[in-house]
């Protein structure tokens, strides 16, 4: 199974997420290339700060920053697909919803073919492009509204004061929120302060606020606080909540869907 270089590197990163470590010899056998080719791939990924080379292979890097959009796409991909399907089940015909930026929230779009007369607000450029494509192919029935604002090319999204101002003119039934951390003590958090302010605005204009977060985000706190857990209504994840969380979540009025 010989793969092109960039595709092979994506697969290496996926394996690192799952296993935490990869071996050069095993990768060479798996991808049907030489060990020298694998070492060059690992060199490139290490230069980009995506892994750390060790004797005989590489280990994943624990990042304290938000990965670029194309990197987030391949991280916990299977878990994100599951979350997207579960979250889509919460959407009813005629709903007005916001789908936040992020590769997890974007997965919701793959499961809307049976929904009718939706209005979807989006702030993510890849999400908008996919939604337009689905509408052309008859897989999306409804209206789409792109939230204007300053464009962040690294993360392929809009945010900032203009986007926040746009949201002041909307009331939505449900918002599906992307976050970087979920903690009982610290609530939901983001790597980016500007993003945190925008997500807070989405919560304020929504009847129901739903966090979509894979298990790597659970029990984690990042730098910018978005809101307390009491400000949201539901968390959709790929695993059950950590031990000891259920009672606190019930007291806060937060449901957990897996």
């Amino acid at each position: 199974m010989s793969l092109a270089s960039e595709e092979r590197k994506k697969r290496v990163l996926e394996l690192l997420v799952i296993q935490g470590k990869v071996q050069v010899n095993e990768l060479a056998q798996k991808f049907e290339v030489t060990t020298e080719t694998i070492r060059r791939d690992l060199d490139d990924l290490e230069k980009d700060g995506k892994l750390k080379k060790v004797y005989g292979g590489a280990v994943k890097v624990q990042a304290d920053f938000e990965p670029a959009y194309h990197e987030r796409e391949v991280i916990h991909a299977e878990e994100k697909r599951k979350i997207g399907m579960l979250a889509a089940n919460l959407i009813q015909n005629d709903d007005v919803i916001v789908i936040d930026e992020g590769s997890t929230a974007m997965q919701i779009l793959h499961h809307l073919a049976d929904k009718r007369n939706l209005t979807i607000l989006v702030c993510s450029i890849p999400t908008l492009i996919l939604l337009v494509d689905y509408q052309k192919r008859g897989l999306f029935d409804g209206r789409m509204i792109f939230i204007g604002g300053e464009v962040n090319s690294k993360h392929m999204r809009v945010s900032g004061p203009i986007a926040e101002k746009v949201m002041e003119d909307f009331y939505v039934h449900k918002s599906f929120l992307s976050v970087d951390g979920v903690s009982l003590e610290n609530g939901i958090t983001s790597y980016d302060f500007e993003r945190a302010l925008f997500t807070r605005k989405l919560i304020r204009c929504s009847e129901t606020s739903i966090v979509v977060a894979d298990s790597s985000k659970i029990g984690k706190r990042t730098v910018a606080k978005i809101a307390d857990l009491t400000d949201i209504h539901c968390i959709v994840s790929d695993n059950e909540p950590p031990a000891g969380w259920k009672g606190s979540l019930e007291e806060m009025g937060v449901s957990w869907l897996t």
Side-chain angles (χ1 to χ4, degrees), residues 22-69:
V22 292
Q23 298 287 341
V24 169
N25 290 336
E26 291 177 2
L27 291 175
Q29 184 176 6
K30 182 179 183 64
F31 298 137
E32 297 180 355
V33 294
T34 65
T35 55
E36 288 76 13
T37 296
I38 293 298
R39 289 192 179 94
R40 285 196 295 270
D41 289 345
L42 298 184
D43 285 340
D44 291 342
L45 290 168
E46 185 176 50
K47 288 175 184 176
D48 292 338
K50 296 175 183 177
L51 54 74
K52 178 177 176 59
K53 289 180 63 182
V54 296
Y55 181 77
V59 296
K60 67 181 179 180
V61 176
Q62 297 295 331
D64 290 324
F65 57 89
E66 183 179 10
Y69 182 84

Side-chain angles (χ1 to χ4, degrees), residues 44-199:
D44 291 342
L45 290 168
E46 185 176 50
K47 288 175 184 176
D48 292 338
K50 296 175 183 177
L51 54 74
K52 178 177 176 59
K53 289 180 63 182
V54 296
Y55 181 77
V59 296
K60 67 181 179 180
V61 176
Q62 297 295 331
D64 290 324
F65 57 89
E66 183 179 10
Y69 182 84
H70 70 277
E71 295 170 34
R72 286 181 283 156
E73 278 189 303
V74 302
I75 300 174
H76 301 290
E78 196 59 42
E79 292 89 339
K80 291 174 181 179
R81 282 190 283 270
K82 176 185 176 182
I83 293 167
M85 181 176 64
L86 292 170
N89 290 334
L90 302 174
I91 299 171
Q92 306 297 321
N93 292 341
D94 305 311
D95 270 351
V96 179
I97 66 174
V98 174
I99 295 184
D100 198 2
E101 67 89 27
S103 52
T104 305
M106 186 176 178
Q107 292 296 319
I108 295 170
L109 301 187
H110 303 315
H111 306 282
L112 299 180
D114 62 337
K115 313 295 182 181
R116 296 291 173 262
N117 194 36
L118 299 178
T119 300
I120 301 183
L121 289 79
V122 298
C123 58
S124 160
I125 296 169
T127 301
L128 175 65
I129 292 170
L130 182 60
L131 197 56
V132 168
D133 179 61
Y134 275 8
Q135 188 176 63
K136 288 180 178 179
R137 293 162 54 191
L139 300 175
F140 167 64
D141 177 42
R143 303 171 63 202
M144 62 191 93
I145 298 172
F146 187 58
I147 302 166
E150 184 176 355
V151 176
N152 182 313
S153 59
K154 178 180 178 182
H155 299 299
M156 302 289 284
R157 67 191 181 206
V158 297
S159 59
I162 299 172
E164 292 172 38
K165 181 66 176 177
V166 169
M167 288 310 305
E168 290 178 2
D169 294 326
F170 288 94
Y171 295 103
V172 303
H173 296 112
K174 302 177 180 82
S175 58
F176 293 88
L177 309 172
S178 297
V179 303
D180 298 311
V182 180
S183 160
L184 283 182
E185 298 80 12
N186 305 110
I188 53 175
T189 53
S190 172
Y191 286 114
D192 184 87
F193 181 69
E194 188 175 78
R195 275 294 306 164
L197 292 177
F198 179 69
T199 305

Side-chain angles (χ1 to χ4, degrees), residues 182-218:
V182 180
S183 160
L184 283 182
E185 298 80 12
N186 305 110
I188 53 175
T189 53
S190 172
Y191 286 114
D192 184 87
F193 181 69
E194 188 175 78
R195 275 294 306 164
L197 292 177
F198 179 69
T199 305
R200 196 178 303 164
K201 179 69 73 173
L202 297 184
I203 293 171
R204 289 173 181 167
C205 74
S206 306
E207 291 179 10
T208 303
S209 298
I210 301 159
V211 168
V212 291
D214 66 71
S215 51
S216 71
K217 312 287 180 62
I218 307 304

